[in-house]
Amino acid sequence: MGFFMFHRPEMPKFNYIPRYYNPEKEELERRKAAMGLDSKLSDSERLRVQMRQRWGRSIDDGKLKQGYSMKWLRIAIIVGISGFLISVIFFTPFLENFVTMFLKMGGK
């Protein structure tokens, strides 16, 4: 006894054939392209390697690593902006003026 009134189609079968991937060989080809030697990389991949070299980024396990100087620069900028905002809010009459402005607007 079936619950369906119509014929259910079979699930599609995929004809997937996995290709062999050798990460060591891929890394060797990238290094060859980076040194300017003859490599089997495509033109677009060679261009990517050259761009990474020129921009000063390196690849480690597929992730882009940034230098420590950029991280410290970002931290310094965030700390500087935070310090400035804290000093403006708490050590100047900015907060008092802001609150009184809203109280005057609400009390019309």
Side-chain angles (χ1 to χ4, degrees), residues 82-96:
S82 301
F84 175 73
L85 291 175
I86 288 172
S87 66
V88 166
I89 291 173
F90 292 112
F91 300 115
T92 61
F94 174 77
L95 189 60
E96 292 175 21

Side-chain angles (χ1 to χ4, degrees), residues 31-95:
R31 287 183 185 167
K32 280 183 181 180
M35 288 190 275
L37 301 174
D38 186 32
S39 67
K40 296 178 183 176
L41 291 178
S42 67
D43 291 335
S44 62
E45 289 196 17
R46 273 193 218 131
L47 181 62
R48 286 183 190 154
V49 169
Q50 289 174 357
M51 289 171 66
R52 285 188 188 118
Q53 273 186 332
R54 291 180 186 156
W55 291 346
R57 294 181 179 177
S58 62
I59 296 179
D60 186 30
D61 296 331
K63 296 180 182 178
L64 291 176
K65 292 175 66 178
Q66 293 182 340
Y68 291 109
S69 61
M70 287 299 293
K71 289 181 184 178
W72 285 110
L73 180 64
R74 286 183 183 160
I75 290 171
I77 289 171
I78 291 171
V79 167
I81 291 173
S82 301
F84 175 73
L85 291 175
I86 288 172
S87 66
V88 166
I89 291 173
F90 292 112
F91 300 115
T92 61
F94 174 77
L95 189 60

